[in-house]
């Protein structure tokens, strides 16, 4: 069996890692060769990215020793109090089991790519996919344009994984051959964020990750604290991101960026005061969260990563969603379903991952005054309960442990509505 993966970013690389155990040959079709540019399929690549705990665990299962190798090459591993989360400027209750990697997305991708391309049946082709060939209700080839020669060629394929990101043209290709395009669901968020790099010295020796968000005390507006985050990453630097919605999006002006850092939490203030900025901030704008609902597909075709769903990046779920979708693909391929049949088992599991991430992010986004829905049934009560749990999580380690397990995608959002959490929340708030 030959498998073709469309896209060589993190989702495509993880798909290739899974497919290598089931295919005779895996071909990654990537327009930018071994070094995808930020201007291509992932224009947000230069921004701060989080690898949530569940995603970190999954990467270690796919690539044993990966964390150790990244740390040896300059990444930081933050544990316990080195990983700090703030709400409305207040440091949340500590979590001794917290564990996050401080590294840029490019750094993580480079290490994953090195592992994947070292597999004996995986190769990368510098080419741009031009469509799909479908016959007898199954995919059988991928036409592509060779980047070096400009010539068009065709890759025979028994299985295809679309990991081409938000801009994937799979829906159009399907329509061209008589298949239904997926229904696209969107929620307007108008998020803007900017990332700046700073030279890291001896300041903040006990901080690897610091993340600040607005909360119920400020009505989820930056009145008490500018939303942002910093990470101690490779090459002895701090990566700092500042975020804002609608007309309050950050720009490229270094002085304005530092001014907003000074209105955030203490770790960001210290970096703004003591560290030299390397270049000017890089900006990115996200108009909406989106997900694609695939109801009918030819056999031998799956969709992963942002091509399937991309939620508000401020919650850092992107890479972790891709890792969990790759795990869903592994389970599908290990089932008794032949590769040439529709991947219904995969999409059921992948949809469950997307549902959880979508529920968490969109429920939080609806607290923003410029986000106008659609609102789920009973939203006012859902938001009120969420506000109380958030307040309790600031001071109560047990509530915060469940809260952060949900944030890090180790547990489903429904864990926050369990009687145990609600009772603990009530007791905590009554004693404040």
């Amino acid at each position: 069996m030959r498998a073709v993966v469309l896209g060589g970013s993190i989702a495509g690389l993880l798909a290739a890692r899974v497919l290598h155990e089931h295919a005779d040959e895996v071909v990654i079709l990537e327009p930018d060769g071994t070094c995808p540019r930020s201007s291509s399929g992932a224009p947000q690549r230069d921004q701060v990215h989080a690898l949530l705990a569940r995603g970190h665990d999954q990467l270690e299962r796919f690539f044993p020793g990966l964390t150790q190798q990244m740390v040896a090459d300059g990444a930081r591993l933050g544990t316990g109090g080195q990983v700090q989360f703030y709400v409305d400027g207040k440091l949340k209750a500590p979590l001794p089991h917290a564990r996050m990697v401080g590294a840029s997305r490019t750094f993580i991708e480079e290490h994953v790519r090195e592992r994947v391309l070292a597999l004996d049946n995986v190769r990368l082709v510098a080419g741009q996919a031009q469509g799909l060939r479908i016959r007898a209700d199954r995919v059988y080839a991928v036409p592509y344009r060779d980047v070096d020669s400009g010539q068009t060629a065709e890759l025979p394929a028994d299985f295809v994984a679309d990991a081409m990101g938000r801009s994937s043209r799979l829906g159009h290709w399907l329509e061209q051959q008589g298949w239904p395009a997926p229904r696209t669901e969107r929620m307007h968020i108008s998020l803007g964020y900017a990332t700046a790099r700073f030279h890291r010295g001896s300041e903040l020796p006990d901080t690897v990750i610091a993340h600040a968000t607005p909360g119920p005390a400020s009505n989820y507006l930056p009145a008490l604290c500018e939303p942002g985050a910093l990470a101690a990453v490779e090459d002895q630097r701090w990566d700092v991101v500042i975020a804002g919605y609608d007309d309050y999006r950050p720009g490229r002006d270094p002085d304005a960026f530092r001014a907003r850092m000074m209105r955030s939490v203490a770790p960001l203030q210290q970096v703004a005061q003591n560290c030299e900025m390397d270049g000017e901030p890089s900006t990115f704008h996200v108009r909406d969260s989106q997900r694609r609902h695939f109801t009918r597909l030819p056999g031998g075709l799956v969709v992963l990563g942002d091509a399937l769903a991309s939620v508000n990046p401020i919650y850092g779920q992107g890479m972790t969603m891709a890792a969990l979708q790759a795990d869903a693909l592994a389970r599908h391929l290990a089932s008794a379903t032949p590769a040439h049949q529709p991947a219904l088992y995969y999409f059921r599991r992948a949809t469950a991952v997307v549902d959880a991430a979508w529920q968490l992010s969109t429920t939080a986004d609806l607290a923003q005054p410029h986000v106008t829905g659609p609102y789920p049934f009973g939203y006012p009560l859902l938001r009120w309960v969420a506000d109380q749990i958030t307040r309790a999580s600031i001071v109560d380690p047990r509530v915060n442990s469940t809260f952060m397990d949900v944030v890090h995608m180790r547990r489903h959002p429904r864990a926050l509505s369990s009687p145990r959490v609600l009772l603990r929340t009530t007791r905590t708030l009554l004693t404040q």
Side-chain angles (χ1 to χ4, degrees):
M1 180 178 83
R2 172 187 275 172
V4 177
V5 179
L6 310 181
S9 190
I10 193 75
L13 292 169
L14 296 180
R17 162 62 183 83
V18 169
L19 285 162
H20 110 94
E21 297 183 352
H22 301 272
D24 300 306
E25 181 185 21
V26 180
V27 179
I28 303 172
L29 199 58
E30 166 57 53
D32 296 320
T34 58
C35 299
R37 300 184 303 269
S38 297
S39 59
S40 59
Q44 73 279 22
R45 183 174 276 107
D46 288 338
Q47 302 294 325
V48 168
H49 279 72
L51 180 59
L52 302 181
R54 183 73 184 280
H56 184 191
D57 295 343
Q58 192 61 57
L59 282 188
E60 274 294 318
R61 283 194 284 271
F62 286 147
F63 309 104
L66 180 67
T67 301
Q68 182 180 5
Q69 184 61 56
M70 289 194 297
V71 171
D73 291 342
R76 293 284 306 278
L77 179 62
T79 58
Q82 295 175 317
V83 180
Q84 302 156 12
F85 286 84
Y86 295 78
V87 173
D88 286 326
K90 296 180 179 179
L91 181 61
K92 297 189 72 175
L95 295 176
H97 63 274
R99 188 169 182 262
M100 289 187 73
V101 174
S104 68
R105 169 171 169 164
T106 301
F107 183 89
I108 295 171
E109 274 190 352
E110 286 173 351
H111 282 75
V112 170
R113 184 178 297 110
E114 181 180 3
R115 290 288 192 98
V116 170
L117 295 183
L119 300 171
D120 57 6
N121 62 340
V122 177
R123 65 186 176 97
L124 188 144
V125 172
Q128 174 73 59
Q130 302 292 298
L132 292 176
R133 297 283 186 260
I134 301 172
R135 181 175 57 211
D137 291 345
R138 61 177 291 187
V139 173
Y140 73 89
V142 178
Y144 73 97
R145 181 182 60 82
D146 185 275
V147 170
D148 295 326
S149 68
Q151 300 296 311
T152 299
E154 194 166 279
L155 275 171
D158 303 291
F159 195 91
V160 174
D162 173 15
M164 294 185 290
R166 281 178 64 108
S167 61
S168 168
R169 292 178 52 80
L170 177 62
H172 176 67
W173 296 343
L174 289 171
E175 283 188 311
Q176 285 181 325
Q177 302 199 49
W179 291 80
R183 177 176 65 88
T184 302
E185 181 180 1
R186 291 185 173 88
M187 175 174 282
H188 174 76
I189 58 174
S190 189
L191 171 72
Y193 54 105
T195 292
R197 292 174 171 80
F198 292 83
H199 296 283
R200 176 159 54 91
S202 59
E203 67 283 337
L204 300 175
D206 298 321
T207 300
V208 174
I209 304 288
H211 186 272
T213 60
S218 62
N219 198 29
Y220 297 92
L221 297 173
L224 298 178
C225 176
E226 286 278 353
L230 65 75
V233 302
E234 70 278 3
D235 298 328
Q236 281 296 120
R237 74 171 194 259
W238 295 106
D239 278 2
V240 180
V241 62
I242 294 291
Y245 288 96
D246 215 13
D247 294 333
Y248 196 60
R249 301 197 300 264
R252 295 179 179 272
D253 180 77
D255 293 334
F257 190 92
R258 284 184 188 271
R260 291 181 70 156
M261 289 175 66
M262 292 301 297
R263 296 193 296 271
S264 191
V265 294
L268 274 72
Q269 293 174 14
Q270 289 196 42
V271 170
Q273 291 173 324
N274 300 312
C275 300
E276 177 186 354
M277 186 184 296
D278 183 9
E280 66 176 19
S282 171
T283 60
F284 188 69
H285 178 224
V286 181
R287 289 186 295 273
D288 52 42
S289 298
Q290 73 172 33
R291 62 182 299 187
R292 294 181 171 108
H293 296 268
F294 291 91
T295 55
R296 183 168 169 260
L297 283 173
L301 178 63
V302 296
V303 186
L304 302 90
D306 285 357
L308 184 61
S310 58
V311 298
N312 188 333
I314 202 169
Y315 308 114
Q317 298 169 303
M319 287 195 291
T320 298
M321 282 180 27
L324 296 179
Q325 290 159 11
D327 180 62
L329 177 59
R331 294 172 186 271
H332 166 71
L333 294 170
S335 72
T337 305
H340 64 270
Q341 290 188 4
L344 302 179
Y345 180 80
Y346 163 75
F347 279 102
R348 281 197 297 269
R349 298 190 68 94
T351 298
V353 172
V354 172
D355 285 345
W358 187 266
Q359 178 182 337
L360 181 68
S361 65
T362 57
T363 301
D365 289 338
L366 286 169
Q368 294 293 323
H370 73 284
V371 178
T372 57
Y375 293 92
F377 177 77
Y379 174 73
L381 177 60
L382 291 174
R383 178 177 173 183
W384 183 85
V385 172
D387 286 351
Q388 308 319 307
I389 295 171
T390 300
R391 288 189 175 100
S393 74
I394 296 173
V395 295
D396 187 285
R398 289 174 63 181
V399 175
N400 193 35
S401 179
T402 303
F403 187 97
M404 296 309 296
D405 277 350
V406 170
V407 169
H408 281 267
M409 301 187 74
R410 279 180 163 158
R411 301 182 70 178
H412 193 276
R414 61 174 168 262
L416 293 174
S417 60
S418 70
R420 180 183 63 83
V421 171
L422 295 177
L423 180 60
R424 182 82 181 187
T425 294
T426 302
R427 290 175 175 172
T428 298
L429 295 179
L430 287 175
T431 61
Q432 292 301 298

